[in-house]
Amino acid sequence: MLKYNLLEAMKEQTKTDVKLTDKKQKIMEAAISLFAEKGYGNTPTSEIAKAAGVAEGTIFRHFGTKDHLLVSLIVPFLKDSIPLMAEELFEKLLSNHELRFEDFLRNLLRDRLLFLKQNKEIFQIIVKEFFYNEEIRHELIPYFAENIGSRLVQVIRTFQERGELSDQPAETMARHIFFSIGGTFIFKFVFGLNGSQDEEAEIESVVRFVMDGVRKIKEDSP
Amino acid sequence: MLKYNLLEAMKEQTKTDVKLTDKKQKIMEAAISLFAEKGYGNTPTSEIAKAAGVAEGTIFRHFGTKDHLLVSLIVPFLKDSIPLMAEELFEKLLSNHELRFEDFLRNLLRDRLLFLKQNKEIFQIIVKEFFYNEEIRHELIPYFAENIGSRLVQVIRTFQERGELSDQPAETMARHIFFSIGGTFIFKFVFGLNGSQDEEAEIESVVRFVMDGVRKIKEDSP
Amino acid sequence: MLKYNLLEAMKEQTKTDVKLTDKKQKIMEAAISLFAEKGYGNTPTSEIAKAAGVAEGTIFRHFGTKDHLLVSLIVPFLKDSIPLMAEELFEKLLSNHELRFEDFLRNLLRDRLLFLKQNKEIFQIIVKEFFYNEEIRHELIPYFAENIGSRLVQVIRTFQERGELSDQPAETMARHIFFSIGGTFIFKFVFGLNGSQDEEAEIESVVRFVMDGVRKIKEDSP
Amino acid sequence: MLKYNLLEAMKEQTKTDVKLTDKKQKIMEAAISLFAEKGYGNTPTSEIAKAAGVAEGTIFRHFGTKDHLLVSLIVPFLKDSIPLMAEELFEKLLSNHELRFEDFLRNLLRDRLLFLKQNKEIFQIIVKEFFYNEEIRHELIPYFAENIGSRLVQVIRTFQERGELSDQPAETMARHIFFSIGGTFIFKFVFGLNGSQDEEAEIESVVRFVMDGVRKIKEDSP
DNA sequence: GATGAATGAGGTTTCATTCAT
DNA sequence: AATGAATGAAACCTCATTCAT
């Protein structure tokens, strides 16, 4: 079904970035809304055309295929979604020995929350298609593994060496952290179920859960 | 798209439970495999018919609609999936003051792991459709909220009163726990990515993360 | 474009041969007429459906593809037309030593003329598509080469040995004969241009041209 | 489908002959290659434009219609292809009583072979479209009948009067000769199947077949 | 003259559903 | 109960042609 290699597409994408026609822009916006709302497979191109105020043929003139339209929406998101954060925070982390793991977590959460607030609909599309579309999944899993997984593991190992984190396998911890953050984001941005109106409180709640779990901490009596 | 109310369907289902014709059974089995693999929307009824060794018309004779076939698969799973466990464990919990929260968690994980091992494919279907199909989602969310959410909250409150759990809002804690468990199950059963070959170790890892998070526990120096 | 191997299809076709539904028959008849008249590429399936008094979907239920519909028309024709001629006439030839080459030619022409009168429209389709459709051509050429070409060459060699035919290369002679006969048939059945109203006279004219060319035969003066 | 009268077009064409823009020339060359290779109906204008290094609109600015582009390619070829040969050879023939019919044939074949070697692709286009496109066929048949048919008949009659050719109806003989020559050219230039590497030998083979057929000529023993 | 974005009619194909047998 | 041929709406996509720049 998917005939496009996402990683290839990401590399090529740089060239064709700027020249967004008016109509092309309209099509992309309409497609983003509709795919996010109803899913790629449940959105006919005719409806996209109508929503974009464009003839159906125009979609195919610009994107060739419905598949390729989807890819064109996803790719720039993916390009932005990971490396920036990782690179930057990673350096901060290495250079600043004052930074504790929970600060790292807090930063990460704040940064990604902001990013996803600005890219809510594409995030919805990706999550939905990730579950539904095996080809999308097969394209993305290695990308995530490399860009999120292995970097997070590195960070965890660094903090383990500093004695801040427990000595469970770093991969296991990374997975648990990923579920906690991912679950929170999916709930919030895909299903629109906010944990709390206060964003800062929400972040703190995740940080606290990830750091210390649910157990009541015994206060050391003097 | 979905014309069936799942909760209604669940109630009605009791009547028609036993009389599963040979052909009807075949159809359901074929549909489960195919929906799990490719998703409901990507599976033509013709393919189900072929896989079941049945004429296409037979599907509609038994289920009326493709939608209704999906519902017929999901409903018994949902009926089995929650109440039983909750009821039982809840009573055990109340009657047994020795049971700690982490034992509750451990039991819950073991029990559901067993259940999902036996119902892997239907779990896959539900997860996929939950993300992709808004109507399914709208049907299921209240059901989950009531049957999982509120019961888990009750349990948490009970243990909070016993002084075992921290005093964060119970709803928040329930959500975090749900993400940790749900994420683990989805990874394992939907994407086939096992955290560990040893199931018992996997359970312990979740329990430990949920209970104590990732922070290195300071040993009390004398 | 064409995804079917004609020779393979021919074999498969034997199995499914008999069960020609009413509608399937109607579709094939309509398709033959329309393809012959306007060519395959200029005939929409919608028009075939209308002409056959059938829903458009029915065409695809029976033939899967427009391509496959074309193949389904051509294949049985070729199955009947070529081996029969080759086998039968070839045997007649070998068994009867009285038979002269021009009798062989006469028989061949009579036989094929009769056959093409009954299958005029399919012959039209094949000729048109043979010129227009490279894939059809690539499928058919080896089949013709083997079944017509090489057998005709054998016949020619036999008669050369008997001293009836000149000693040009048999392949060359076969080609010239093929052009003479093929040209005549195409003119008659594809373009509807009859050489003569009297069929027997037409045959004789071909035989005479092939045997003796156009030169005035000098009468031996005593 | 075809809205242009070829004969009319040929007349008009004289006026617009010389002023071939650079772009117009490019378009025509690209179209010739593509039409010859894939056929008119299977060649999108977009592809012609790309191959010509020209915008799609430019094609329509110059030719108005895809149909008209086809006609613009065919017409000058036809103008060159027949009259020249006929006029010239005919005069040679009438003035030179030494010229035998087989010399006429030989000259004709040599001349046209050279011409077609230089116009192979357009010949391919015309043959393909002649078979496929009824309107093209209806346009061309009278043209051929008049320019080739009737002149050839005249030549044949002349030689019949000189006692060189047999007394079959001249029309019939013309048709047989046309098939022999036409078949040879189509095989060679449309299907790329050469009868012989040696062109002169190929010509002789046609001449011999046309003149004397395939029969072994009995040598008169004294 | 030249462009190329835009069009929209029309093409092939898919598929849930119906219904006579 | 079971069949499977038939349906036709709707999906994706192609392409000759137009037109503002």
Side-chain angles (χ1 to χ4, degrees), chain A residues 134-145:
Chain A
E134 199 186 350
E135 280 154 296
I136 288 271
R137 191 159 57 243
H138 275 13
E139 295 269 2
L140 290 184
I141 283 180
Y143 184 74
F144 286 160

Side-chain angles (χ1 to χ4, degrees), chain A residues 21 23 55 57-58 61-62:
Chain A
T21 326
K23 301 263 178 181
T58 307
R61 162 160 260 282
H62 283 294

Side-chain angles (χ1 to χ4, degrees), chain C residues 26-27 30 34 44-56 59:
Chain C
K26 285 260 175 57
I27 291 167
L34 291 167
T45 50
S46 62
E47 203 172 332
I48 300 169
K50 208 173 63 187
V54 148
E56 207 173 345
I59 294 173

Side-chain angles (χ1 to χ4, degrees), chain A residues 111-153:
Chain A
D111 178 77
R112 290 301 89 187
L113 210 57
L114 190 66
F115 177 73
L116 291 183
K117 259 201 284 193
Q118 290 160 353
N119 297 278
K120 194 170 134 182
E121 289 186 310
I122 296 192
F123 181 60
Q124 285 175 33
I125 295 171
I126 290 178
V127 170
K128 287 178 182 180
E129 295 308 319
F130 187 85
F131 278 89
Y132 212 70
N133 186 320
E134 199 186 350
E135 280 154 296
I136 288 271
R137 191 159 57 243
H138 275 13
E139 295 269 2
L140 290 184
I141 283 180
Y143 184 74
F144 286 160
E146 186 183 341
N147 284 289
I148 305 189
S150 69
R151 288 187 207 236
L152 187 53
V153 165

